[in-house]
Amino acid sequence: MPSTPDVKTELVRVVPQRTSERVSELATILRLSGGLHTISGRIALEAELHTPAIVQRVRKDLAEIYGVRSDAMQLPASSTRPGAPQFLVRVLDGETIARQLGLMDPRRRPIRGLPNRLTTGSQPELAAIWRGAFLARGSVTPPGRSASLEVVCPTNETTMALVGAAGRLGIAAKSRDIRGQHKVLVRDGEAIGEMLSAMGAVDARAAWDELRKARETRATANRLVNFDDANLRRSAQASVAACARVERALEILGDETPEHLRYAGALRLSHREASLDELGARADPPLTKDAIAGRIRRLLAMADKEAESRGIPGTEASLPEELDAL
């Protein structure tokens, strides 16, 4: 089963083909995992990340693409909760790089969403955006009723940008505010597989599809078993009810029972589990399903009418109380 750490481990090994893809991924990681802060009068760019491999990838891209030196440190254990980022990457003189990445506008105001030039890029650049988003704040839950691939975003504008990028990749995603958090969700099992593949997690996609198909097959089998059980239960209830009513009908009518109806009732009682088709075939001479059903129906109606005229319980009074539990 592809877990969130497995997917991130595979994604961090993806080698982008063009610099524009590296820029898209880097800008998204920094947008979702950090922010701009003022330290000693200087604008610093900070990002809180989960693994050393992601830290190394971010620092390498900053150095190779922009020639920017960054510092990395491990966050104190006391300040982090389970599942929270463990490492901090900081660029002390971050104003220039923030402008270059599109994280700050000309008036030195932080961009609330993602830079427009990223979300209108090529297919590989859009995939890089989602790869960066998942590396920064993504998670995946296994196939089942609550299967999902989700990304936690800092603002609603960021969620809308990711939804738009997913749409341009041909993948349906939705934005949701859940317990005060802005999230982008991909819920459909097939769409999750497509997103894993688009981001570059090919092995995770294969494992996801295999697990999803196995669960769907098992679910289908369970539905069929439950359907068969329900049919057998209803069939058993109908057989018990029919036999109980026929016995009572023959008791009410006694010697006044017409011979052809008595024969049909006795046939029903002799073969309690048989279907109407099987009862008709056992008759001598053979009868059709409709013929045997009609005779039993007339037997019950005649007995109920006689019971009503005599003021005694009819055929339904003989039904067992535990019938519904069968």
Side-chain angles (χ1 to χ4, degrees), residues 9 40 46 53-55 65 80 92 100 193 209 219 235 238 272 286 291:
T9 298
S40 301
E46 294 183 344
I54 302 175
V55 170
I65 301 174
T80 61
L92 275 177
Q100 290 175 319
D209 285 345
S235 178
R272 293 174 179 262

Side-chain angles (χ1 to χ4, degrees), residues 25 50 77 85 95 114 116 131 173 201 212 220-221 244 290:
E25 179 189 302
H50 287 84
E95 181 172 347
L114 289 175
N116 185 63
R131 182 167 58 247
R212 182 171 65 89
T220 300
D290 291 338

Side-chain angles (χ1 to χ4, degrees), residues 62-78:
L62 285 170
E64 293 183 355
I65 301 174
Y66 296 101
V68 172
R69 180 182 177 277
S70 60
D71 299 316
M73 65 190 75
Q74 186 165 1
L75 295 170
S78 60

Side-chain angles (χ1 to χ4, degrees), residues 23-295:
V23 170
S24 296
E25 179 189 302
L26 177 63
T28 306
I29 290 177
L30 295 175
R31 180 68 189 91
L32 268 67
S33 65
L36 302 174
H37 305 279
T38 302
I39 299 178
S40 301
R42 294 180 296 179
I43 293 180
L45 177 63
E46 294 183 344
E48 295 182 356
L49 305 169
H50 287 84
T51 70
I54 302 175
V55 170
Q56 182 179 359
R57 188 177 180 94
V58 168
R59 297 188 71 197
K60 181 180 178 182
D61 285 345
L62 285 170
E64 293 183 355
I65 301 174
Y66 296 101
V68 172
R69 180 182 177 277
S70 60
D71 299 316
M73 65 190 75
Q74 186 165 1
L75 295 170
S78 60
S79 67
T80 61
R81 60 189 183 281
Q86 303 293 317
F87 304 91
L88 177 69
V89 172
R90 175 184 291 160
V91 178
L92 275 177
D93 290 310
E95 181 172 347
T96 300
I97 184 65
R99 290 180 185 275
Q100 290 175 319
L101 287 169
L103 303 179
M104 177 187 289
D105 68 15
R107 297 183 180 181
R108 305 183 76 195
R109 295 176 303 188
I111 299 298
R112 290 188 55 80
L114 289 175
N116 185 63
R117 59 184 174 81
L118 297 186
T119 55
T120 56
S122 65
Q123 293 282 304
E125 291 167 355
L126 294 171
I129 288 175
W130 262 89
R131 182 167 58 247
F134 194 92
L135 286 172
R137 292 294 182 269
S139 63
V140 61
T141 54
R145 290 185 177 179
S146 59
S148 69
L149 185 152
E150 66 178 48
V151 175
V152 179
C153 299
T155 64
N156 186 54
E157 290 85 352
T158 313
T159 64
M160 297 309 298
L162 285 179
V163 169
R168 292 184 180 90
L169 289 169
I171 300 170
K174 296 181 179 179
S175 63
R176 291 286 186 272
D177 287 346
I178 302 175
R179 293 188 292 275
Q181 288 186 319
H182 305 290
K183 291 186 177 184
V184 180
L185 301 171
V186 180
R187 283 280 174 82
D188 179 73
E190 186 173 347
I192 292 173
E194 292 175 359
M195 183 59 80
L196 289 173
S197 183
M199 292 189 298
V202 180
D203 292 342
R205 164 72 187 271
W208 175 273
D209 285 345
E210 183 177 348
L211 182 58
R212 182 171 65 89
K213 290 175 182 177
R215 293 205 173 182
E216 287 177 356
T217 300
R218 186 159 59 248
T220 300
N222 288 338
R223 284 195 297 272
L224 291 175
V225 168
N226 292 336
F227 179 75
D228 289 343
D229 286 346
N231 281 344
L232 289 172
R233 190 160 52 249
R234 284 193 292 269
S235 178
Q237 288 180 327
S239 176
V240 170
C243 290
R245 292 190 67 191
V246 166
E247 286 180 338
R248 176 60 179 164
L250 294 175
E251 179 183 333
I252 293 171
L253 295 174
D255 294 339
E256 302 299 320
T257 308
E259 186 58 34
H260 67 295
L261 300 186
R262 183 193 301 277
Y263 179 73
L267 199 62
R268 171 78 280 176
L269 296 178
S270 298
H271 307 284
R272 293 174 179 262
E273 303 299 327
S275 65
L276 291 174
D277 279 329
E278 292 170 337
L279 286 182
R282 291 175 183 274
D284 185 19
L287 297 171
T288 65
K289 171 184 176 179
D290 291 338
I292 197 75
R295 291 188 183 188

